[in-house]
Coordinates of all heavy atoms in Angstrom, one line a residue:
M17 N 11.5 -0.1 -19.4 CA 10.5 1.0 -19.1 C 11.2 2.3 -19.3 O 12.3 2.5 -18.8 CB 10.0 0.8 -17.7 CG 9.1 2.0 -17.2 SD 8.4 1.7 -15.6 CE 6.9 0.8 -16.0
T18 N 10.6 3.2 -20.0 CA 11.1 4.6 -20.2 C 10.5 5.5 -19.1 O 9.6 5.1 -18.4 CB 10.8 5.1 -21.6 OG1 9.3 5.3 -21.7 CG2 11.2 4.2 -22.7
C19 N 11.0 6.7 -19.1 CA 10.5 7.7 -18.2 C 9.0 8.0 -18.4 O 8.3 8.2 -17.5 CB 11.3 9.0 -18.3 SG 13.1 8.8 -17.7
T20 N 8.7 8.0 -19.7 CA 7.3 8.3 -20.1 C 6.4 7.1 -19.6 O 5.3 7.4 -19.0 CB 7.1 8.4 -21.6 OG1 8.1 9.3 -22.1 CG2 5.8 9.0 -22.0
D21 N 6.8 5.9 -19.7 CA 6.1 4.8 -19.2 C 5.9 4.8 -17.7 O 4.9 4.6 -17.2 CB 6.8 3.4 -19.6 CG 6.9 3.2 -21.1 OD1 6.0 3.7 -21.8 OD2 7.8 2.5 -21.5
F22 N 7.0 5.2 -17.1 CA 7.0 5.3 -15.7 C 6.0 6.3 -15.2 O 5.2 6.0 -14.3 CB 8.4 5.7 -15.2 CG 8.4 6.2 -13.8 CD1 8.5 5.3 -12.7 CD2 8.4 7.6 -13.5 CE1 8.5 5.7 -11.4 CE2 8.5 8.0 -12.1 CZ 8.5 7.1 -11.1
L23 N 6.0 7.5 -15.8 CA 5.0 8.5 -15.4 C 3.6 8.1 -15.7 O 2.7 8.5 -14.9 CB 5.4 9.8 -16.2 CG 6.6 10.5 -15.6 CD1 7.2 11.5 -16.6 CD2 6.3 11.2 -14.3
S24 N 3.4 7.4 -16.8 CA 2.0 7.0 -17.1 C 1.5 5.9 -16.1 O 0.3 5.7 -15.9 CB 1.9 6.4 -18.5 OG 2.6 5.2 -18.6
Q25 N 2.4 5.3 -15.4 CA 2.0 4.3 -14.4 C 1.9 4.9 -13.0 O 1.5 4.2 -12.0 CB 3.0 3.1 -14.3 CG 3.2 2.4 -15.6 CD 1.8 1.8 -16.1 OE1 1.0 1.4 -15.2 NE2 1.6 1.7 -17.4
L26 N 2.3 6.1 -12.8 CA 2.5 6.7 -11.5 C 1.2 6.8 -10.7 O 1.1 6.4 -9.5 CB 3.1 8.1 -11.7 CG 3.8 8.7 -10.5 CD1 4.9 7.8 -10.0 CD2 4.4 10.1 -10.8
T27 N 0.1 7.2 -11.3 CA -1.2 7.3 -10.6 C -1.7 5.9 -10.2 O -2.2 5.7 -9.1 CB -2.3 8.0 -11.4 OG1 -2.1 7.7 -12.8 CG2 -2.3 9.5 -11.1
D28 N -1.5 4.9 -11.1 CA -1.9 3.6 -10.8 C -1.1 3.0 -9.6 O -1.6 2.3 -8.7 CB -1.8 2.6 -12.0 CG -2.8 2.9 -13.0 OD1 -3.8 3.5 -12.7 OD2 -2.7 2.4 -14.1
Y29 N 0.2 3.4 -9.7 CA 1.1 3.0 -8.6 C 0.6 3.4 -7.2 O 0.5 2.7 -6.3 CB 2.5 3.5 -8.9 CG 3.5 3.2 -7.8 CD1 4.2 2.1 -7.8 CD2 3.7 4.2 -6.8 CE1 5.2 1.8 -6.8 CE2 4.7 3.9 -5.8 CZ 5.4 2.7 -5.8 OH 6.3 2.5 -4.8
F30 N 0.2 4.7 -7.2 CA -0.2 5.3 -5.9 C -1.7 4.9 -5.5 O -2.1 4.9 -4.4 CB 0.0 6.8 -5.9 CG 1.4 7.2 -5.7 CD1 2.1 7.7 -6.7 CD2 2.0 7.0 -4.4 CE1 3.5 8.0 -6.5 CE2 3.3 7.3 -4.2 CZ 4.1 7.8 -5.3
D31 N -2.4 4.5 -6.5 CA -3.8 4.0 -6.3 C -3.8 2.6 -5.9 O -4.8 2.0 -5.5 CB -4.7 4.1 -7.6 CG -5.1 5.6 -7.8 OD1 -5.0 6.4 -6.9 OD2 -5.5 5.9 -8.9
G32 N -2.6 1.9 -6.0 CA -2.5 0.5 -5.7 C -3.2 -0.4 -6.8 O -3.5 -1.5 -6.5
Q33 N -3.4 0.2 -8.0 CA -4.0 -0.5 -9.1 C -3.0 -1.2 -10.0 O -3.4 -1.7 -11.0 CB -4.9 0.5 -9.9 CG -5.9 1.2 -9.1 CD -7.0 0.3 -8.7 OE1 -7.5 -0.5 -9.5 NE2 -7.5 0.4 -7.5
I34 N -1.8 -1.1 -9.7 CA -0.7 -1.5 -10.6 C -0.5 -3.0 -10.4 O -0.6 -3.6 -9.3 CB 0.6 -0.7 -10.3 CG1 1.6 -0.9 -11.4 CG2 1.2 -1.1 -9.0 CD1 2.7 0.2 -11.4
S35 N -0.2 -3.7 -11.5 CA 0.0 -5.1 -11.5 C 1.4 -5.4 -10.9 O 2.3 -4.6 -11.0 CB -0.1 -5.7 -12.9 OG 1.0 -5.3 -13.7
A36 N 1.6 -6.6 -10.4 CA 2.9 -7.0 -9.8 C 4.0 -6.9 -10.8 O 5.1 -6.4 -10.5 CB 2.8 -8.4 -9.2
E37 N 3.7 -7.2 -12.0 CA 4.6 -7.1 -13.1 C 5.1 -5.7 -13.4 O 6.3 -5.4 -13.5 CB 4.0 -7.7 -14.4 CG 4.9 -8.2 -15.4 CD 4.2 -8.8 -16.6 OE1 3.6 -9.9 -16.4 OE2 4.2 -8.2 -17.7
L38 N 4.1 -4.8 -13.4 CA 4.5 -3.4 -13.7 C 5.2 -2.8 -12.5 O 6.1 -2.0 -12.6 CB 3.2 -2.6 -14.0 CG 2.8 -2.6 -15.5 CD1 1.4 -2.0 -15.7 CD2 3.8 -1.8 -16.3
L39 N 4.7 -3.2 -11.3 CA 5.3 -2.7 -10.1 C 6.8 -3.0 -10.1 O 7.7 -2.2 -9.7 CB 4.7 -3.3 -8.8 CG 5.1 -2.8 -7.5 CD1 4.9 -1.4 -7.3 CD2 4.4 -3.6 -6.4
D40 N 7.1 -4.2 -10.5 CA 8.5 -4.6 -10.7 C 9.3 -3.7 -11.6 O 10.4 -3.4 -11.3 CB 8.5 -6.1 -11.2 CG 9.7 -6.9 -10.6 OD1 9.8 -6.8 -9.4 OD2 10.4 -7.4 -11.4
E41 N 8.7 -3.4 -12.7 CA 9.3 -2.5 -13.7 C 9.5 -1.1 -13.2 O 10.5 -0.5 -13.5 CB 8.5 -2.5 -15.0 CG 8.6 -3.8 -15.8 CD 8.0 -3.6 -17.2 OE1 8.3 -2.6 -17.8 OE2 7.2 -4.5 -17.6
V42 N 8.5 -0.6 -12.5 CA 8.6 0.7 -11.8 C 9.8 0.7 -10.9 O 10.6 1.6 -10.9 CB 7.3 1.1 -11.1 CG1 7.5 2.3 -10.2 CG2 6.2 1.4 -12.1
R43 N 9.9 -0.3 -10.1 CA 11.0 -0.4 -9.1 C 12.4 -0.5 -9.8 O 13.3 0.2 -9.4 CB 10.8 -1.6 -8.2 CG 9.8 -1.3 -7.2 CD 9.6 -2.5 -6.2 NE 8.6 -2.2 -5.2 CZ 7.9 -3.1 -4.6 NH1 7.9 -4.3 -4.9 NH2 7.0 -2.7 -3.6
R44 N 12.4 -1.2 -10.9 CA 13.6 -1.4 -11.6 C 14.0 0.0 -12.3 O 15.2 0.3 -12.3 CB 13.5 -2.5 -12.7 CG 14.8 -3.2 -12.9 CD 14.6 -4.3 -13.9 NE 13.5 -5.2 -13.5 CZ 12.7 -5.9 -14.4 NH1 12.9 -5.8 -15.6 NH2 11.8 -6.7 -13.9
H45 N 13.0 0.7 -12.8 CA 13.3 1.9 -13.4 C 13.8 3.0 -12.4 O 14.8 3.7 -12.7 CB 12.1 2.5 -14.2 CG 12.4 3.8 -14.9 ND1 13.0 3.8 -16.1 CD2 12.1 5.0 -14.6 CE1 13.2 5.1 -16.5 NE2 12.6 5.8 -15.6
T46 N 13.2 3.1 -11.3 CA 13.6 4.1 -10.3 C 15.0 3.7 -9.7 O 15.7 4.6 -9.3 CB 12.6 4.2 -9.1 OG1 12.3 2.9 -8.6 CG2 11.3 4.8 -9.6
A47 N 15.3 2.4 -9.7 CA 16.7 2.1 -9.3 C 17.7 2.5 -10.2 O 18.9 2.9 -9.9 CB 16.7 0.5 -9.1
E48 N 17.4 2.6 -11.5 CA 18.3 3.0 -12.6 C 18.2 4.5 -12.9 O 19.2 5.1 -13.4 CB 18.0 2.3 -13.9 CG 18.3 0.8 -13.8 CD 17.8 0.1 -15.0 OE1 17.1 0.7 -15.8 OE2 18.0 -1.2 -15.0
C49 N 17.1 5.1 -12.6 CA 16.9 6.5 -13.1 C 16.6 7.4 -11.8 O 15.6 7.3 -11.2 CB 15.7 6.6 -14.0 SG 15.3 8.2 -14.6
S50 N 17.6 8.2 -11.5 CA 17.6 9.0 -10.3 C 16.5 10.1 -10.4 O 15.9 10.5 -9.4 CB 18.9 9.7 -10.0 OG 19.3 10.5 -11.1
H51 N 16.2 10.6 -11.6 CA 15.1 11.6 -11.8 C 13.8 11.0 -11.4 O 13.0 11.6 -10.7 CB 15.1 12.1 -13.3 CG 16.3 12.7 -13.7 ND1 16.9 13.8 -13.0 CD2 17.1 12.5 -14.8 CE1 18.0 14.2 -13.6 NE2 18.1 13.4 -14.7
C52 N 13.5 9.8 -11.9 CA 12.2 9.2 -11.6 C 12.1 8.8 -10.1 O 11.0 8.8 -9.5 CB 11.9 8.1 -12.5 SG 11.6 8.6 -14.2
E53 N 13.2 8.4 -9.6 CA 13.3 8.1 -8.1 C 12.8 9.3 -7.3 O 12.1 9.2 -6.4 CB 14.7 7.7 -7.8 CG 14.8 7.1 -6.4 CD 16.2 6.8 -5.9 OE1 17.1 7.2 -6.6 OE2 16.3 6.1 -4.9
V54 N 13.4 10.5 -7.7 CA 13.0 11.8 -7.0 C 11.5 12.1 -7.2 O 10.8 12.5 -6.3 CB 13.9 12.9 -7.6 CG1 13.4 14.3 -7.1 CG2 15.3 12.7 -7.1
V55 N 11.0 11.9 -8.5 CA 9.6 12.1 -8.7 C 8.7 11.2 -7.9 O 7.8 11.7 -7.3 CB 9.3 11.9 -10.2 CG1 7.8 11.8 -10.5 CG2 9.9 13.0 -11.1
L56 N 9.1 10.0 -7.8 CA 8.3 9.0 -7.0 C 8.3 9.4 -5.5 O 7.3 9.4 -4.9 CB 9.0 7.6 -7.1 CG 8.2 6.4 -6.6 CD1 6.9 6.3 -7.4 CD2 9.0 5.2 -6.6
D57 N 9.5 9.9 -5.1 CA 9.6 10.3 -3.7 C 8.8 11.6 -3.4 O 8.1 11.7 -2.4 CB 11.1 10.6 -3.4 CG 11.5 10.1 -2.1 OD1 11.2 8.9 -1.8 OD2 12.0 10.9 -1.3
T58 N 8.9 12.5 -4.3 CA 8.2 13.8 -4.2 C 6.7 13.6 -4.3 O 6.0 14.2 -3.5 CB 8.7 14.8 -5.3 OG1 10.1 14.8 -5.4 CG2 8.1 16.2 -5.1
T59 N 6.3 12.8 -5.2 CA 4.9 12.5 -5.3 C 4.3 11.9 -4.1 O 3.2 12.2 -3.6 CB 4.6 11.6 -6.5 OG1 5.3 12.1 -7.7 CG2 3.1 11.5 -6.8
R60 N 5.0 10.9 -3.5 CA 4.6 10.2 -2.3 C 4.4 11.3 -1.2 O 3.4 11.3 -0.5 CB 5.6 9.2 -1.9 CG 5.2 8.4 -0.7 CD 6.2 7.4 -0.2 NE 6.4 6.3 -1.2 CZ 7.5 6.0 -1.8 NH1 8.6 6.7 -1.6 NH2 7.6 4.9 -2.6
Q61 N 5.4 12.2 -1.0 CA 5.3 13.2 0.0 C 4.2 14.2 -0.2 O 3.5 14.6 0.7 CB 6.7 13.9 0.1 CG 7.7 13.1 0.8 CD 9.1 13.7 0.6 OE1 9.3 14.9 0.4 NE2 10.1 12.9 0.8
T62 N 4.0 14.5 -1.5 CA 2.9 15.5 -1.8 C 1.6 14.9 -1.5 O 0.7 15.5 -1.0 CB 3.0 15.8 -3.4 OG1 4.3 16.2 -3.7 CG2 2.0 16.9 -3.7
I63 N 1.4 13.6 -1.8 CA 0.2 12.9 -1.5 C -0.1 12.8 0.0 O -1.2 13.1 0.4 CB 0.2 11.5 -2.2 CG1 0.0 11.6 -3.7 CG2 -1.0 10.7 -1.6 CD1 0.2 10.3 -4.4
L64 N 1.0 12.6 0.7 CA 0.8 12.6 2.2 C 0.4 13.9 2.7 O -0.5 14.0 3.6 CB 2.2 12.2 2.8 CG 2.5 10.7 2.8 CD1 3.9 10.5 3.3 CD2 1.5 9.8 3.5
V65 N 1.0 15.0 2.2 CA 0.6 16.3 2.6 C -0.9 16.6 2.3 O -1.7 17.1 3.1 CB 1.5 17.4 1.9 CG1 0.9 18.8 2.2 CG2 2.9 17.3 2.5
Y66 N -1.3 16.2 1.0 CA -2.7 16.5 0.6 C -3.6 15.7 1.5 O -4.7 16.2 1.8 CB -2.8 16.0 -0.9 CG -2.5 17.1 -1.9 CD1 -1.7 16.7 -3.0 CD2 -2.9 18.4 -1.7 CE1 -1.4 17.7 -3.9 CE2 -2.6 19.3 -2.7 CZ -1.8 19.0 -3.8 OH -1.5 19.9 -4.7
R67 N -3.3 14.4 1.8 CA -4.2 13.6 2.5 C -4.3 14.1 4.0 O -5.4 14.1 4.5 CB -3.7 12.2 2.5 CG -3.9 11.5 1.2 CD -3.9 10.0 1.2 NE -4.3 9.5 -0.2 CZ -3.8 8.4 -0.7 NH1 -2.9 7.7 -0.1 NH2 -4.1 8.1 -1.9
N68 N -3.2 14.6 4.5 CA -3.3 15.2 5.8 C -4.2 16.4 5.9 O -4.8 16.7 6.9 CB -1.9 15.6 6.3 CG -1.1 14.4 6.7 OD1 -1.6 13.3 6.9 ND2 0.2 14.5 6.7
N69 N -4.2 17.1 4.8 CA -5.1 18.3 4.7 C -6.5 18.0 4.2 O -7.3 18.9 3.9 CB -4.5 19.4 3.7 CG -3.2 20.0 4.3 OD1 -3.1 20.0 5.6 ND2 -2.3 20.4 3.5
E70 N -6.7 16.7 4.0 CA -8.0 16.2 3.5 C -8.4 16.9 2.2 O -9.6 17.1 1.9 CB -9.1 16.5 4.5 CG -8.9 15.6 5.8 CD -10.0 15.7 6.8 OE1 -11.1 16.1 6.4 OE2 -9.8 15.5 8.0
A71 N -7.4 17.1 1.3 CA -7.7 17.7 0.0 C -7.7 16.5 -1.0 O -7.8 15.3 -0.6 CB -6.7 18.7 -0.4
V72 N -7.6 16.8 -2.3 CA -7.7 15.8 -3.3 C -6.4 15.0 -3.4 O -5.4 15.4 -2.8 CB -7.9 16.5 -4.7 CG1 -9.3 17.0 -4.8 CG2 -6.8 17.5 -5.0
D73 N -6.4 13.8 -4.0 CA -5.2 13.1 -4.3 C -4.6 13.6 -5.5 O -4.8 14.7 -6.0 CB -5.3 11.6 -4.3 CG -6.6 11.0 -4.1 OD1 -7.6 11.7 -3.8 OD2 -6.7 9.8 -4.2
L74 N -3.7 12.8 -6.1 CA -2.9 13.2 -7.2 C -3.8 13.7 -8.4 O -4.5 12.9 -9.0 CB -2.1 12.0 -7.7 CG -1.0 12.2 -8.7 CD1 0.0 13.2 -8.2 CD2 -0.3 10.9 -9.0
S75 N -3.8 15.0 -8.6 CA -4.7 15.6 -9.6 C -4.0 15.5 -11.0 O -2.8 15.4 -11.0 CB -4.9 17.0 -9.2 OG -3.7 17.8 -9.3
P76 N -4.8 15.6 -12.0 CA -4.2 15.6 -13.4 C -3.2 16.8 -13.5 O -2.2 16.7 -14.2 CB -5.4 15.8 -14.3 CG -6.5 15.3 -13.5 CD -6.2 15.6 -12.1
E77 N -3.5 17.9 -12.9 CA -2.6 19.1 -12.9 C -1.3 18.8 -12.3 O -0.2 19.1 -12.9 CB -3.2 20.3 -12.2 CG -4.4 20.9 -12.9 CD -5.7 20.2 -12.6 OE1 -5.7 19.3 -11.7 OE2 -6.8 20.5 -13.1
L78 N -1.3 18.2 -11.2 CA 0.0 17.8 -10.5 C 0.8 16.8 -11.4 O 2.0 17.0 -11.5 CB -0.3 17.2 -9.1 CG 0.9 16.7 -8.4 CD1 1.8 17.9 -8.0 CD2 0.4 16.1 -7.1
R79 N 0.0 15.9 -11.9 CA 0.7 14.9 -12.8 C 1.3 15.6 -14.0 O 2.5 15.2 -14.4 CB -0.3 13.8 -13.2 CG 0.4 12.5 -13.5 CD -0.5 11.4 -13.6 NE -1.2 11.4 -14.9 CZ -1.3 10.3 -15.7 NH1 -0.9 9.2 -15.3 NH2 -2.0 10.4 -16.8
D80 N 0.6 16.5 -14.6 CA 1.2 17.3 -15.7 C 2.4 18.0 -15.3 O 3.4 18.1 -16.0 CB 0.1 18.3 -16.2 CG -0.8 17.6 -17.2 OD1 -0.7 16.4 -17.4 OD2 -1.7 18.3 -17.7
R81 N 2.4 18.7 -14.1 CA 3.5 19.4 -13.7 C 4.7 18.5 -13.5 O 5.8 18.8 -13.9 CB 3.2 20.1 -12.3 CG 2.3 21.3 -12.5 CD 2.7 22.5 -11.6 NE 3.2 22.1 -10.3 CZ 2.4 22.1 -9.2 NH1 1.1 22.3 -9.3 NH2 2.8 21.7 -8.0
L82 N 4.5 17.4 -12.8 CA 5.6 16.4 -12.6 C 6.1 15.9 -13.9 O 7.3 15.7 -14.1 CB 5.1 15.2 -11.8 CG 4.8 15.5 -10.3 CD1 4.0 14.4 -9.7 CD2 6.1 15.7 -9.6
H83 N 5.2 15.6 -14.9 CA 5.6 15.1 -16.2 C 6.5 16.1 -16.9 O 7.5 15.7 -17.4 CB 4.3 14.8 -17.0 CG 4.5 14.1 -18.3 ND1 4.9 14.7 -19.4 CD2 4.5 12.7 -18.5 CE1 5.0 13.8 -20.4 NE2 4.9 12.6 -19.9
T84 N 6.1 17.3 -16.9 CA 6.8 18.4 -17.6 C 8.2 18.5 -16.9 O 9.2 18.5 -17.6 CB 6.1 19.7 -17.5 OG1 4.8 19.6 -18.0 CG2 6.8 20.8 -18.3
A85 N 8.2 18.5 -15.6 CA 9.5 18.6 -14.9 C 10.5 17.5 -15.2 O 11.6 17.7 -15.5 CB 9.3 18.7 -13.4
I86 N 9.9 16.3 -15.1 CA 10.8 15.1 -15.3 C 11.3 15.0 -16.7 O 12.4 14.6 -17.0 CB 10.1 13.8 -14.8 CG1 11.1 12.6 -14.8 CG2 8.9 13.4 -15.7 CD1 12.1 12.7 -13.7
M87 N 10.4 15.3 -17.7 CA 10.8 15.2 -19.1 C 11.9 16.2 -19.4 O 12.8 16.0 -20.2 CB 9.6 15.3 -20.0 CG 8.6 14.1 -20.0 SD 9.5 12.5 -20.0 CE 10.0 12.4 -21.7
A88 N 11.7 17.4 -18.8 CA 12.7 18.5 -19.0 C 14.1 18.0 -18.5 O 15.1 18.2 -19.1 CB 12.3 19.7 -18.3
K89 N 14.1 17.4 -17.3 CA 15.3 16.9 -16.7 C 15.9 15.7 -17.5 O 17.1 15.7 -17.8 CB 15.1 16.4 -15.3 CG 15.1 17.6 -14.3 CD 14.9 17.1 -12.9 CE 14.8 18.2 -11.9 NZ 14.5 17.8 -10.6
C90 N 15.1 14.8 -17.9 CA 15.6 13.6 -18.5 C 16.1 13.9 -19.9 O 17.1 13.4 -20.3 CB 14.5 12.5 -18.6 SG 14.2 11.7 -17.0
T91 N 15.4 14.7 -20.6 CA 15.8 15.0 -22.0 C 16.9 16.1 -22.0 O 17.7 16.1 -22.9 CB 14.6 15.5 -22.9 OG1 14.0 16.6 -22.2 CG2 13.6 14.4 -23.1
G92 N 16.9 17.0 -21.1 CA 17.9 18.1 -21.0 C 19.3 17.6 -20.8 O 20.3 18.2 -21.2
K93 N 19.4 16.4 -20.2 CA 20.7 15.8 -19.9 C 21.4 15.2 -21.1 O 22.6 15.0 -21.0 CB 20.6 14.8 -18.8 CG 20.3 15.4 -17.4 CD 21.6 15.6 -16.6 CE 21.3 16.2 -15.2 NZ 22.5 16.5 -14.5
R94 N 20.6 14.9 -22.1 CA 21.2 14.2 -23.2 C 21.4 15.0 -24.4 O 21.0 16.1 -24.5 CB 20.2 13.0 -23.6 CG 20.4 11.9 -22.7 CD 19.3 10.9 -22.7 NE 19.2 10.2 -21.5 CZ 18.1 9.4 -21.2 NH1 17.1 9.3 -22.0 NH2 18.1 8.8 -20.1
Ligands
LIG12 ZN1 13.2 7.9 -15.6

């Protein structure tokens, strides 16, 4: 799984729509990739904050922002 694959699975992951197989890959990727681990963690916290405020869940805008940030980090290092 690449960082892009990971990000494309992120909403499904938090919606609980992800298959056991993909969940396994997501976990394996975050174990190997510290950037995506941070994204997963940040997203989880962001969703908790949003839910406490009774606002929307993971919006496309937020996902875009995370995607841009993570890709900048992952590609900038190489
Ligand atoms: Zn990654």
Side-chain angles (χ1 to χ4, degrees):
M17 176 174 272
T18 65
C19 294
T20 312
D21 294 335
F22 166 80
L23 285 160
S24 68
Q25 298 303 327
L26 204 57
T27 31
D28 285 347
Y29 176 88
F30 283 107
D31 285 343
Q33 301 290 316
I34 197 164
S35 68
E37 202 174 291
L38 274 169
L39 184 62
D40 213 52
E41 287 192 43
V42 165
R43 284 182 176 151
R44 213 175 306 149
H45 184 75
T46 52
E48 290 168 0
C49 180
S50 57
H51 297 309
C52 287
E53 191 186 11
V54 169
V55 167
L56 191 65
D57 220 55
T58 309
T59 309
R60 184 184 292 122
Q61 283 167 24
T62 308
I63 288 171
L64 283 174
V65 169
Y66 275 135
R67 287 198 177 147
N68 287 341
N69 291 332
E70 292 182 25
V72 290
D73 358 357
L74 192 57
S75 66
E77 289 84 5
L78 176 62
R79 207 167 76 132
D80 276 0
R81 287 221 319 270
L82 287 167
H83 189 274
T84 306
I86 192 70
M87 289 319 286
K89 278 185 184 173
C90 286
T91 55
K93 289 264 177 186
R94 281 164 203 168

